Amino acid sequence: MPSLSERLAAALEVPGEHVIDPWSAPLAYLTQAIALGARFVRGAELLKGTFDGAWRLDTTAGEIVADTVINTAGLYGDLVDDRLGLGAGFRIKPRKGQFVVLDKAACRHVPRIILPVPTEITKGIVVCPTAFGNVLVGPTAEEQEDRVRATVETETLETLVRRAAEIVPALAGIPVTAVYAGLRPASEEKGYRVFVRPERRAITLGGIRSTGLSSALGLAQHALKLHAGFAGGYRPPENIPAIATPNLAECRERDWQRPDHGEIVCHCELVTRREIEATFESAVPPGDFGGLRRRTRAGMGRCQGFYCNARLAEMTKGKLATPLAVEKEGKQ
Ligand SMILES: Cc1cc2nc3c(=O)[nH]c(=O)nc-3n(C[C@H](O)[C@H](O)[C@H](O)COP(=O)(O)OP(=O)(O)OC[C@H]3O[C@@H](n4cnc5c(N)ncnc54)[C@H](O)[C@@H]3O)c2cc1C
């Protein structure tokens, strides 16, 4: 890669490593589950669960009766096991990761994922292209107690930007489009925390510290195998429908490139009216603006919604559980 710094001594190739759109994969899994008869319930916090041959789950959306429980509650995995009376065999220790998203001008300098040599704690600061045509720098690995708030700190972000330019000098001076932080559900141990309790018909897939996206299908298959050991088992359906989610990635044709898309609503990310409207007609409509952003890329570009928020508020009026702030405040 000609853009790499001449100061770098060697590189490690990771065969099969790919950049993917991280939002459409979980959407496809859920859409497929719904096509197979699953019901998904939003805003249903599990408060307590009791088992008497079947599970009775008290949730903030009412009682749910279930044959089997699979706990995949991420940052709350240990607390959910406690609420189910399973006695959590692990404790979540949130690990924050801060990221910088560089402007699309950076992309031509970073055609591939650049990974430093990993350590015991972290795989290190990655510089990589995104499926959406930006460059991502991060994440950090910072232990914290708080499971809710993931703050970004200017000093750390500046270090990330400097680090990116050390690896790829042409990135120096390229503007930052966005910054964000997320919390990984790490635990006291490095590996995933998988617990199976056939007598209670419960499986816990906990402490998925990182690689949750890469491992999701493998973990699901593993859970299925574990469940096969439960009395009565579970027979997966024979005909599994193929699901195609709308394309958000730059490597394939986008909706704005096709005729009759209505209008381009977000000019930074080239998101069309037809794409936005289609999300509300899909099996999993977005519940809030964050969901709409992840479903379409609207508001995620260079202006971060400065130009399209008013139009988006108008288009989504009455459709989002949490309306856009611009609409609430009556701003244009
Ligand atoms: C900094 C960072 C770096 C990452 N790097 C990678 C990477 O390199 N590769 C990769 O594949 N992935 C990566 N990931 C993704 C990461 O692995 C996943 O975010 C992580 O595994 C969390 O996914 P999850 O499904 O376990 O939890 P979540 O996505 O948090 O899902 C848990 C769900 O449980 C629900 N829940 C919690 N408590 C309750 C309750 N009481 N009742 C009902 N519902 C409840 C929550 O609302 C949520 O919907 C990274 C993430 C971060 C933050």
Side-chain angles (χ1 to χ4, degrees), residues 19 30 132 177 202 237 251 264 280 313:
V19 170
L30 180 55
F132 316 121
T177 293
C251 59
I264 293 181
F280 291 101

Side-chain angles (χ1 to χ4, degrees), residues 37-78:
R39 181 168 67 100
F40 88 103
V41 185
R42 283 199 169 108
E45 182 186 345
L46 175 90
L47 304 171
K48 189 173 184 323
T50 49
F51 182 74
D52 58 7
W55 278 101
R56 288 174 205 290
L57 307 171
D58 284 340
T59 80
T60 47
E63 190 187 64
I64 294 172
V65 178
D67 170 80
T68 298
V69 163
I70 302 180
N71 172 3
T72 59
L75 285 162
Y76 299 87
D78 53 346

Side-chain angles (χ1 to χ4, degrees), residues 96-99 122-126 137-141 160 184 210:
K96 183 168 81 172
Q98 301 187 50
F99 290 93
T122 169
K123 66 177 185 293
I125 304 302
V126 183
V137 185
T140 56
L160 288 178
R184 309 169 182 91
S210 198

